[in-house]
Amino acid sequence: MKTSIATVTISGELPEKLEAIARAGFDGVEIFENDFLAFDGSPADVGKLVRDHGLEITLFQPFRDFEGMPEPLRSRTFDRAERKFDVMQQLGTDLVLVCSNISPAAIGGIDRAAEDFRELGERAARRGLRVGYEALAWGRHISDHRDAWEIVRRADHPNVGLILDSFHTLSRKIDVNSIRSIPKEKIFIVQLADAPLIDMDLLYWSRHFRNMPGEGELPVTAFTEAVAATGYDGYFSLEIFNDQFRGGLSRPIAADGHRSLIYLGDQVRRHLGTGSMTGAAMPERAAVQGVGFVEFATDEQDEVELVALLRTLGFRQTAVHRTKKVSLFEQGEIRILVNVDQAGFANAAYAVHGTFAYAMALVVDDAAKAYARALALDAEPFAQPVAEGELELPAIRGVGGGIVYLIDDKSALGRFSEIDFRPVTDDTDTASAGLIRVDHVAQTVGYDEMLTWLLFYTSIFETHKTPMVDIIDPAGVVRSQVVENQSGALRITMNGAENRRTLAGHFIAEKFGSGIQHLAFSTDDIFATAEKLRSCGFRSLHISPNYYDDVEARFGLDPVMTERLKAENILYDRDEHGEYFQLYSGTYGEGFFFEIVERRGYRGYGAPNAIFRIAALKRQMRPEGIPKDVD
Amino acid sequence: MKTSIATVTISGELPEKLEAIARAGFDGVEIFENDFLAFDGSPADVGKLVRDHGLEITLFQPFRDFEGMPEPLRSRTFDRAERKFDVMQQLGTDLVLVCSNISPAAIGGIDRAAEDFRELGERAARRGLRVGYEALAWGRHISDHRDAWEIVRRADHPNVGLILDSFHTLSRKIDVNSIRSIPKEKIFIVQLADAPLIDMDLLYWSRHFRNMPGEGELPVTAFTEAVAATGYDGYFSLEIFNDQFRGGLSRPIAADGHRSLIYLGDQVRRHLGTGSMTGAAMPERAAVQGVGFVEFATDEQDEVELVALLRTLGFRQTAVHRTKKVSLFEQGEIRILVNVDQAGFANAAYAVHGTFAYAMALVVDDAAKAYARALALDAEPFAQPVAEGELELPAIRGVGGGIVYLIDDKSALGRFSEIDFRPVTDDTDTASAGLIRVDHVAQTVGYDEMLTWLLFYTSIFETHKTPMVDIIDPAGVVRSQVVENQSGALRITMNGAENRRTLAGHFIAEKFGSGIQHLAFSTDDIFATAEKLRSCGFRSLHISPNYYDDVEARFGLDPVMTERLKAENILYDRDEHGEYFQLYSGTYGEGFFFEIVERRGYRGYGAPNAIFRIAALKRQMRPEGIPKDVD
C-alpha cells in the first residue's frame, strides 16, 4: 500500500509537518494549499524540502468552486486554475484536487461540468498535469461520487480522473459497491478518513470530528476493499480535519496515521487475498488469553507499604527473581511482580513516576508472532539486558511509555516464573481472599491520547472497542472506552482526562504521565471475599448511604441484600445479562487503587457507579489530595 | 425574577456547588439526584446545608421512566416514587421533576399517562408534595410540551403540573406561543437553557452543548416572554449540561448563570412592561460611541521601547497627568495612555503581567447609567484613590481582571484629558501616519472564558455578537467571535485559545492571563499610511510571497495592485460590502502587536488572512518565541 497524508491532518508549520510525516514512514504527502501559502519559501523550495525528506507530493489541494460557473466567473476560474498549474509545476507535482462546487453562483448540469473538465484537462495536458474531481458531501449540485464519476466519464479526457474520499461517500451512506465498476486508471487518488457515528450537520462533522481509519465507526474497510477490488494501486492518503489533531503534537499524530493505514491494508489483504493492496504480510491479530502478570516499579522503602497493601488483598509471596531484586506475589491466577532493582528500566521509571504499575504481560497464542505483528504496526520494541540463562521476554512500549510483555504457553516464555525465579515460602499468615484473575486493567491517559491507544490495542490484538461513555467526575467529564476480546480474557478500560482536578487528570499530572491507574480482580463470591479482606486488614472505600437507598429503589433489591452491600461498601449494577458487584480500595499514592468485582453474567464495567466511587475516592484523598474547585 | 440553578450545571462536589450558587446570588437550587447520591451525608444534612446558604430547594430531579408502564413495571415505578418522596421530605422540598418516559417498555397513550399521573398526584398529595411533568425532546412517546400539558390537563390533579424547559421546546422548534394558553398555576417550574445552533442529534446536542440564556442562539427570550405572559411568577431555573461547565471553575460559571438570568429578566421586562417578571429596573444597554483611550501599564525601563514603538506608528505625546506618571499620546481620535506610576493598580498589574494594555475606556451616552447597569448585571466595580480635583472615572473589571472605564461627553468625564492632564509639546519629529481611530480591540482569553465575556459585553452594552469562526494557528484551532455595535464604533474581537503552543495560547500563558493582545487602528489610505510608517522606522510584518500569488488569482487583482500590497506586506480581503486592507507590526513582548486597517465598505475582520499573519508572527518571534511543536 502506498501511503500518503495531507499536511492539514497534523499540527505545526510546514517543515515540522514534513519532518513528522517522513519520520512516521509515509511515502507521500498532499500539500494543503494554506500550509504552502503560509510558508515563507518558494514553491520550488517546498518541493525540494519534500523530496529531501524522501517524500513525493501526491496531490495539491484543494481547488474550489470550479465547475458549472456562468461567465464571466467561468473564465476567471480557468485563469485561477492556470495560476495553480504554475505553482504545481514549480512544486513538482502533477495532480490537483478539484472539489465539487459549493458556490451559489454554480449553475449545475452534468454536461456543463463535463465540458468544463474536458477543457481543464486539455489545459492540464499541455503542461503534463492531471486533474482529479472529488464530490464533496455538501457540494451544491454534486455530492455523490457516482455523479462525479459520470462527469469524469463524460469529460472523457485522459488527464481528468476521479478522486474518492471515504468520508464523503460514507457520511452520505452511499453504497461503496458502486466503486467496483469504476476503471482503476480513472481513480487518480483515494483519500481516507473515518469518523465517530454522531448524527449531525455533515460539514460540521467533517470539519471537527474526522479521525484516522479504524479510530472511528465508519465502514472504511469496506470502502477500501471496494477500491482495491478495482485493481487500484495508487496512493491511499489521509485527509483528516480534526481539532484535536490540529492542536496535538505532530509526530504521534502522524505515527497514528501511518499505523492506521498499515492496519487497514492488512485487513483488506486478508479479505481480498494478495494483490495490489498487499503490504508486507504480517501475522494475524494476536488472540489474548489473559494478563500474565502486572509489574510494579518501586524502591525498597516504598515497597514496604505496597507489599503490606498486597497482603491485605490476600496475595502471598511465592518466588524471587534469581538475579534481580524482584518478588513474585500470587493469588489464584493473578501474578504481581514487585521490582526494586537498582538497575534497569523499572528503576528509571520509578525515578520519574514513583511507585507504579509500569508493565504488564499479555498471554497470547504465539508471542513471537504477536511481537512481529506489533513491530509491523510501528510499535516500539523494548528490550533490556538479561543475565545468562534467563528469558528475554518480547516486549513493546505501551501507554505512557510503559511496557507490554508478550508471553505464551507454547514456548519457554510461559515458564518464566520457574526459569527466572526461585520459589520462596511466605512466612506471614496471609490467606487468600478468593481473588481469581485480573478482570480488567484500567489505564488513564490524556484525552488526546485515547485514539492512539485504542488503535494500538485493536490493531495488534484480537479485540474490539465499545462505545465511548462519559464518566462524571465532580470536576469534569472523563471519557471512558473499553478494549476487550470476545472471551473476556483481556479487558482494558481507558479513561481520557482533560483537566487535572479530576481524579484521572490528577493521576496523570502528579505521576507525569499516563499509565495503569487501577487493577480490577475477579472473585466468585464478593461477600466471602469482602469478609476475608476485612480479616486481612483491608480497608474498603466508604460509599455514601444515599447510594444504597437509590440502588434498592432502582433495582427493586431485597432490603437484606441492600444491607449486605452497604455493610461491605459494595456497589451494584445490572444489565440484560446479569449482575455486577464492585468493591474498591482507597487510593494509594497519587490515585492508584484496586477494585474487586464479581460478574454474574454482567458484561459491562459499572459505568453508572463511577460518579459515586470517584466522589468517594476524592473524599478519601483529602485533605492532602486533589485541590478543591475554588478560585 | 426568582432565580434558581440545577446543581448539575456547575462543577465540584455538592458543598462547593452550593457555596458557588449562593455566592452568585441565586434564590434557589435544583438538587440533581446524582449530586445528592454521591454526597456522604443524609438528605436532612443536605437540606440544612442548602438552607444555611440562604437557598431554597426548588426541585428534586430527575425521576425517569415513570408514565405508561405495563405491570409489573408500573407497580415498581410507583414504589420507586414513594422512596423518592421519602428523600424529598427529608431534604425539605415539595417538587419533583418527572421527565417523559424513554424506556422501550413504555406503552404510551395520553389517557394511560394521565391516569398514572393522577395516581402519583394522589400519593404526592398525601405527603404535601407536588409532581411536575416535563416532555424530553427525545421522549419515547411524549416529546412536546403541548402533549405533556394535555396529560397534565387530563390528570386533573392539583398536585400535578407541567414543567417547561426552553431547550426541549426550542430544540424541536415548537411554537412558543402555545405556552400562552396554559394556566399559570399549572406551570410548576420553568427551566432555561440556550444552545448554539448546530444541527445534530438532539440528545448529543443537549448533553454537551447547552449553555446559559444569551450565550447561545436559541430564542430563549421569546420563550420566556411567552411564559411570563401567562402570569407565571415562579422560579426560572438553569438546567445546563455542558462539558465545559462541568470541567470549569464553579464560581465563575455560577456567576455567568446569574448574570444570564438578570439580563433575560431585563429583556422580558422591556417587552412586557412591569409585571410578574420585574426584577430591579435598570438602565437600558449602553450605546457605545467609541474607544476613549487604551492604557498601558509599564515601568520606566520598558516605557522606552513602548514609546519608541508608538512613535514609529506616528503617535505624539500631547499631555502628562497632573499628579501621576502617566503620559498621553494621540493621533487622530486615538488616545494611548502610558502609565509608569509606582502606585496604583497599573503598577500592580505590571508587576504580574509585564507591559500590557490593561485598561480601556469606552465612550458611552451616559456613563452613570452604563455603570449602574453594569453593577445590576453583577459586574465587579473598580475604583482607586484619586487626588483632589481629579476625576473619578466609573470603572468595572473586564477581561482578565483588566479595567473598562466608562466615560461620556455629557459630563466632565469627557474632558478628563484636560482636567487630569496638562499639555506638553512633543519635541520629536514624529509625524502622523494618518491613523484615525481604534478600529477594533482584540482580546485573547482562555477558550473556557469566551462565553463569560461575550455575555459580559452583550448584556451591558448595546452590541451583538457574530457567529464563531475557527482561526487556524499552525499549532491548533483558535475560536474567534466578535462583539460589535451597529455603527461600528465598538468592535471587540475575542479569541479563545486552548493550547499554549498557539500564538493566542502563548500570550495567555506567558502573561499569566487573558487580555488585550492587539489593537487595530483605522486609516483612510493604507498605502499612504504604510509609506509614512516606513519613514517613521516602523517595521511591518513580513508576509510570504506565496500569499500574494494566491490573492491575485483568488480575487482577480490587477498585478500592479498585488505588487503594491506585496511591497508593503498588506493583506487583502473582500466581502459583499467591499474591500479590506491589513498591515501588521511584529510582536512586542510575549505576543502583543498592532494592526492598521483600511475598510472600503468591508464589514468583517479578515478571518481568511488570520492563518497567514499568525504563521508570520510566529516566525518573527523565533527563536526566542514559542517552542516548536516537537516532542
Side-chain angles (χ1 to χ4, degrees):
Chain A
M1 180 185 247
K2 289 162 75 180
T3 59
S4 167
I5 185 169
T7 53
V8 73
T9 304
I10 59 174
S11 77
E13 292 168 51
L14 195 56
E16 288 134 18
K17 291 183 186 219
L18 294 175
E19 200 274 337
I21 289 166
R23 174 187 282 249
F26 286 92
D27 305 308
V29 60
E30 293 180 20
I31 300 293
F32 190 74
E33 189 176 27
N34 273 355
D35 282 319
F36 156 72
L37 297 180
F39 180 67
D40 192 24
S42 71
D45 293 341
V46 172
K48 180 169 186 313
L49 196 58
V50 171
R51 285 180 287 275
D52 285 351
H53 277 298
L55 297 166
E56 186 178 348
I57 301 179
T58 57
L59 183 67
F60 182 69
Q61 64 119 325
F63 188 72
R64 299 184 196 276
D65 296 341
F66 164 71
E67 83 282 12
M69 286 298 216
E71 288 293 357
L73 291 173
R74 182 175 187 276
S75 298
R76 236 183 71 197
T77 302
F78 276 97
D79 292 347
R80 195 157 55 89
E82 294 283 358
R83 300 291 294 259
K84 298 305 163 186
F85 288 167
D86 294 344
V87 171
M88 288 168 64
Q89 289 185 300
Q90 291 163 51
L91 277 172
T93 183
D94 74 339
L95 183 61
V96 62
L97 178 149
V98 178
C99 52
S100 58
N101 202 325
I102 61 168
S103 165
I107 301 171
I110 292 278
D111 289 317
R112 178 177 292 103
E115 175 54 38
D116 288 344
F117 273 105
R118 193 176 312 123
E119 179 172 342
L120 194 63
E122 268 304 296
R123 293 184 184 219
R126 274 177 228 141
R127 308 193 191 216
L129 303 178
R130 296 180 305 145
V131 173
Y133 183 42
E134 175 188 80
L136 292 178
W138 51 88
R140 193 160 180 90
H141 304 295
I142 302 297
S143 56
D144 185 320
H145 72 253
R146 293 169 296 197
D147 297 329
W149 162 232
E150 182 59 24
I151 288 169
V152 167
R153 211 179 56 75
R154 294 189 189 199
D156 191 24
H157 194 285
N159 292 57
V160 175
L162 186 66
I163 294 180
L164 293 168
D165 182 304
S166 63
F167 183 86
H168 292 298
T169 292
L170 299 173
S171 66
R172 296 188 68 98
K173 303 186 175 70
I174 297 167
D175 181 5
V176 296
N177 291 313
S178 58
I179 293 170
R180 294 181 192 246
S181 55
I182 302 172
K184 67 177 179 184
E185 73 277 8
K186 297 307 288 184
I187 304 173
F188 280 5
I189 195 167
V190 176
Q191 295 183 318
L192 296 173
D194 203 340
L197 274 181
I198 309 169
D199 181 24
M200 67 172 75
D201 174 70
L202 287 179
L203 184 57
Y204 193 85
W205 190 27
S206 170
R207 288 278 162 85
H208 301 281
F209 287 84
R210 288 188 182 202
N211 54 24
M212 308 293 183
E215 290 183 343
E217 297 164 281
L218 296 179
V220 180
T221 308
F223 173 90
T224 310
E225 279 173 22
V227 171
T230 68
Y232 172 81
D233 62 355
Y235 279 99
F236 285 87
S237 190
L238 300 167
E239 193 210 15
I240 296 170
F241 303 90
N242 180 301
D243 295 348
Q244 192 178 305
F245 295 177
R246 284 189 195 266
L249 295 175
S250 54
R251 286 187 192 172
I253 303 287
D256 285 349
H258 194 256
R259 170 174 290 159
S260 78
L261 286 179
I262 302 296
Y263 178 38
L264 182 65
D266 174 60
Q267 289 171 287
V268 172
R269 188 177 58 81
R270 286 176 196 284
H271 278 99
L272 294 189
T274 55
S276 60
M277 290 288 299
T278 314
M282 65 179 90
E284 62 189 348
R285 292 195 303 164
V288 180
Q289 293 159 13
V291 175
F293 63 80
V294 175
E295 180 169 342
F296 285 82
T298 184
D299 72 356
E300 290 185 354
Q301 195 175 333
D302 287 4
E303 183 188 23
V304 177
E305 193 186 345
L306 177 62
V307 166
L309 182 58
L310 289 173
R311 290 198 194 284
T312 69
L313 283 160
F315 284 92
R316 291 173 64 85
Q317 186 175 359
T318 55
V320 292
H321 197 278
R322 294 186 191 278
T323 60
K324 295 177 187 165
K325 288 190 178 171
V326 181
S327 310
L328 172 61
F329 289 80
E330 293 190 77
Q331 184 175 185
E333 299 168 15
I334 310 162
R335 290 190 281 201
I336 304 278
L337 300 182
V338 178
N339 189 333
V340 296
D341 212 63
Q342 296 300 302
F345 182 80
N347 185 255
Y350 171 77
V352 177
H353 304 286
T355 298
F356 86 123
Y358 85 106
M360 66 175 165
L362 298 182
V363 184
V364 293
D365 284 348
D366 185 320
K369 282 188 178 174
Y371 184 66
R373 181 177 176 90
L375 297 197
L377 283 158
D378 301 339
E380 188 183 340
F382 170 79
Q384 60 184 347
V386 297
E388 176 98 21
E390 287 177 12
L391 293 167
E392 200 170 335
L393 307 187
I396 53 176
R397 303 294 287 263
V399 170
I403 311 303
V404 179
Y405 289 104
L406 300 164
I407 61 179
D408 58 30
D409 288 330
K410 65 185 285 187
S411 71
L413 296 170
R415 289 178 290 112
F416 80 95
S417 63
E418 298 153 40
I419 297 168
D420 290 358
F421 287 75
R422 62 176 170 77
V424 295
T425 305
D426 191 323
D427 52 8
T428 67
D429 60 356
T430 308
S432 167
L435 305 187
I436 300 171
R437 66 182 69 84
V438 173
D439 183 85
H440 59 275
V441 175
Q443 299 195 305
T444 297
V445 302
Y447 175 65
D448 57 358
E449 293 177 275
M450 282 195 78
L451 291 174
T452 299
W453 297 111
L454 291 168
L455 183 63
F456 171 87
Y457 285 118
T458 54
S459 63
I460 299 173
F461 303 102
E462 194 182 313
T463 54
H464 59 268
K465 60 190 181 203
T466 61
M468 190 174 278
V469 169
D470 287 346
I471 300 290
I472 305 302
D473 183 293
V477 180
V478 174
R479 317 290 173 182
S480 183
Q481 201 158 2
V482 173
V483 172
E484 58 184 18
N485 61 11
Q486 206 59 40
S487 70
L490 180 65
R491 293 187 177 108
I492 293 170
T493 62
M494 188 91 60
N495 290 316
E498 275 181 288
N499 94 54
R500 61 188 296 161
R501 284 174 295 111
T502 60
L503 186 72
H506 178 79
F507 176 78
I508 295 176
E510 293 304 317
K511 294 192 77 69
F512 312 108
S514 305
I516 297 174
Q517 187 168 10
H518 95 255
L519 289 172
F521 303 128
S522 64
T523 173
D524 276 349
D525 185 340
I526 192 88
F527 294 105
T529 290
E531 198 176 320
K532 285 181 195 153
L533 289 175
R534 254 190 296 113
S535 72
C536 292
F538 175 83
R539 296 190 55 179
S540 59
L541 180 71
H542 172 72
I543 303 297
S544 166
N546 299 329
Y547 168 81
Y548 293 98
D549 291 346
D550 178 62
V551 154
E552 184 173 308
R554 192 146 43 98
F555 294 104
L557 294 184
D558 181 333
V560 175
M561 167 64 104
T562 314
E563 276 311 308
R564 290 184 75 192
L565 294 172
K566 190 173 179 174
E568 300 288 9
N569 290 310
I570 295 171
L571 296 157
Y572 179 87
D573 195 23
R574 197 193 283 162
D575 65 12
E576 65 273 33
H577 308 290
E579 295 178 291
Y580 193 51
F581 300 84
Q582 301 171 278
L583 176 63
Y584 285 90
S585 75
T587 57
Y588 168 83
E590 292 303 338
F592 181 87
F593 55 95
F594 291 101
E595 178 183 4
I596 293 120
V597 305
E598 181 186 348
R599 293 177 183 274
R600 299 185 186 165
Y602 179 91
R603 298 196 186 160
Y605 295 82
N609 289 328
I611 182 172
F612 309 118
R613 61 104 177 145
I614 291 172
L617 285 163
K618 291 179 98 167
R619 267 196 301 273
Q620 177 257 332
M621 285 176 79
R622 293 216 188 102
E624 318 73 24
I626 303 174
K628 283 204 207 179
D629 171 25
V630 291
D631 53 14
Chain B
M1 180 185 247
K2 290 162 74 180
T3 59
S4 167
I5 184 169
T7 53
V8 74
T9 304
I10 59 174
S11 76
E13 291 167 53
L14 195 56
E16 289 134 20
K17 290 184 187 219
L18 294 175
E19 200 274 337
I21 288 166
R23 173 187 282 249
F26 285 93
D27 305 308
V29 60
E30 293 180 19
I31 300 293
F32 190 75
E33 188 176 28
N34 273 354
D35 283 319
F36 156 72
L37 298 180
F39 180 67
D40 191 24
S42 70
D45 292 342
V46 172
K48 181 169 185 310
L49 195 59
V50 171
R51 283 179 288 275
D52 285 351
H53 277 297
L55 296 166
E56 186 178 347
I57 301 179
T58 56
L59 183 66
F60 182 68
Q61 66 117 326
F63 188 72
R64 299 184 197 277
D65 296 340
F66 164 71
E67 83 282 12
M69 285 298 214
E71 288 294 358
L73 292 174
R74 184 176 186 277
S75 298
R76 236 184 70 199
T77 301
F78 276 97
D79 292 348
R80 193 157 57 87
E82 294 283 359
R83 301 291 293 262
K84 298 304 164 189
F85 288 168
D86 294 344
V87 171
M88 288 168 63
Q89 288 184 301
Q90 292 164 51
L91 276 171
T93 182
D94 74 338
L95 183 61
V96 62
L97 177 147
V98 178
C99 53
S100 58
N101 202 325
I102 60 167
S103 166
I107 300 171
I110 292 278
D111 289 317
R112 176 176 293 104
E115 176 53 39
D116 289 343
F117 272 104
R118 193 176 313 119
E119 179 172 342
L120 193 65
E122 268 305 296
R123 294 181 184 222
R126 276 177 225 140
R127 308 194 193 216
L129 303 179
R130 297 179 305 144
V131 173
Y133 183 42
E134 176 187 79
L136 292 178
W138 51 87
R140 193 162 180 87
H141 304 296
I142 302 299
S143 56
D144 185 320
H145 72 253
R146 293 170 296 196
D147 297 329
W149 162 232
E150 183 59 25
I151 288 169
V152 167
R153 209 180 56 75
R154 294 190 188 199
D156 191 23
H157 194 286
N159 292 56
V160 175
L162 186 66
I163 295 181
L164 293 169
D165 182 304
S166 62
F167 183 86
H168 292 299
T169 293
L170 299 173
S171 66
R172 295 187 68 97
K173 302 186 176 67
I174 297 166
D175 181 5
V176 296
N177 292 312
S178 58
I179 293 169
R180 294 181 191 245
S181 55
I182 302 171
K184 67 177 178 184
E185 73 277 8
K186 298 305 287 184
I187 304 173
F188 280 5
I189 194 166
V190 176
Q191 295 183 317
L192 296 174
D194 203 339
L197 273 182
I198 309 169
D199 180 25
M200 65 171 76
D201 173 71
L202 286 179
L203 184 56
Y204 192 86
W205 191 27
S206 170
R207 288 277 163 85
H208 301 281
F209 287 84
R210 287 187 184 204
N211 54 24
M212 308 293 184
E215 291 184 343
E217 296 163 281
L218 296 178
V220 179
T221 308
F223 173 91
T224 310
E225 279 174 23
V227 171
T230 68
Y232 172 81
D233 62 356
Y235 279 99
F236 285 88
S237 190
L238 300 167
E239 192 209 15
I240 296 170
F241 303 91
N242 182 301
D243 295 347
Q244 192 178 305
F245 295 178
R246 284 189 195 264
L249 296 173
S250 54
R251 286 186 191 171
I253 304 287
D256 284 349
H258 194 256
R259 170 174 290 158
S260 78
L261 286 179
I262 301 297
Y263 178 37
L264 181 65
D266 175 60
Q267 289 170 287
V268 172
R269 187 176 59 80
R270 286 177 194 283
H271 277 99
L272 295 190
T274 55
S276 60
M277 290 289 299
T278 313
M282 65 180 90
E284 61 189 349
R285 291 194 303 164
V288 180
Q289 292 158 14
V291 175
F293 62 80
V294 175
E295 179 168 345
F296 285 81
T298 186
D299 73 356
E300 291 187 352
Q301 195 176 333
D302 287 4
E303 183 188 24
V304 177
E305 195 186 344
L306 176 63
V307 166
L309 183 58
L310 289 173
R311 291 199 194 284
T312 70
L313 284 159
F315 284 91
R316 291 173 64 86
Q317 185 174 359
T318 55
V320 292
H321 196 277
R322 294 186 192 278
T323 60
K324 295 177 185 166
K325 287 190 179 170
V326 181
S327 311
L328 172 61
F329 289 80
E330 294 190 77
Q331 184 175 185
E333 299 169 15
I334 310 162
R335 289 190 280 202
I336 304 279
L337 300 181
V338 177
N339 188 334
V340 296
D341 212 62
Q342 297 298 302
F345 182 81
N347 185 255
Y350 171 76
V352 176
H353 303 286
T355 299
F356 87 122
Y358 85 105
M360 65 175 165
L362 298 182
V363 184
V364 294
D365 284 348
D366 186 319
K369 283 188 177 174
Y371 184 66
R373 179 175 178 92
L375 297 197
L377 282 158
D378 301 339
E380 188 183 339
F382 170 79
Q384 60 184 347
V386 296
E388 177 99 22
E390 288 177 12
L391 292 168
E392 201 171 335
L393 307 187
I396 54 176
R397 303 294 287 262
V399 169
I403 311 303
V404 179
Y405 289 104
L406 302 164
I407 60 179
D408 60 28
D409 287 331
K410 65 188 286 187
S411 71
L413 296 171
R415 289 179 288 112
F416 80 94
S417 63
E418 297 153 39
I419 297 168
D420 290 0
F421 287 75
R422 63 177 169 74
V424 295
T425 304
D426 191 323
D427 52 10
T428 67
D429 60 356
T430 308
S432 167
L435 306 185
I436 300 170
R437 66 183 70 84
V438 174
D439 183 86
H440 59 275
V441 175
Q443 298 195 307
T444 296
V445 303
Y447 175 64
D448 58 358
E449 293 177 90
M450 282 196 79
L451 291 174
T452 300
W453 297 111
L454 290 168
L455 182 63
F456 171 87
Y457 285 118
T458 53
S459 64
I460 299 172
F461 303 102
E462 194 182 313
T463 53
H464 59 267
K465 60 188 182 207
T466 61
M468 189 173 279
V469 170
D470 287 346
I471 299 290
I472 305 301
D473 183 292
V477 180
V478 174
R479 318 289 173 183
S480 183
Q481 202 158 2
V482 172
V483 171
E484 57 183 19
N485 61 10
Q486 206 59 40
S487 69
L490 181 65
R491 294 188 177 108
I492 293 170
T493 63
M494 188 91 61
N495 289 315
E498 274 181 290
N499 94 54
R500 62 188 294 163
R501 286 174 294 112
T502 59
L503 186 72
H506 178 80
F507 177 78
I508 295 176
E510 293 302 319
K511 293 192 79 70
F512 312 108
S514 305
I516 297 173
Q517 186 167 11
H518 95 255
L519 290 172
F521 303 128
S522 64
T523 172
D524 277 349
D525 185 340
I526 191 87
F527 294 105
T529 290
E531 197 178 320
K532 284 182 194 151
L533 288 175
R534 252 189 298 114
S535 72
C536 292
F538 175 84
R539 295 190 55 180
S540 60
L541 180 71
H542 171 72
I543 304 296
S544 166
N546 299 328
Y547 168 82
Y548 293 98
D549 291 345
D550 178 62
V551 153
E552 184 174 309
R554 192 148 42 99
F555 294 105
L557 294 184
D558 181 334
V560 176
M561 167 63 104
T562 314
E563 276 311 308
R564 289 183 75 189
L565 295 172
K566 189 173 179 175
E568 300 288 9
N569 289 310
I570 295 171
L571 296 156
Y572 179 87
D573 195 24
R574 197 192 285 161
D575 65 11
E576 65 272 34
H577 307 290
E579 295 178 292
Y580 193 50
F581 301 84
Q582 302 172 278
L583 176 63
Y584 286 91
S585 76
T587 58
Y588 168 82
E590 292 302 338
F592 181 87
F593 56 95
F594 291 102
E595 178 184 3
I596 293 120
V597 305
E598 181 185 347
R599 293 177 182 273
R600 298 186 186 164
Y602 180 91
R603 298 196 187 160
Y605 295 83
N609 289 329
I611 181 172
F612 309 118
R613 61 104 176 143
I614 290 171
L617 285 162
K618 291 179 96 166
R619 265 197 302 273
Q620 177 257 332
M621 284 176 79
R622 291 216 189 103
E624 319 73 26
I626 303 175
K628 284 203 206 180
D629 170 26
V630 291
D631 52 15

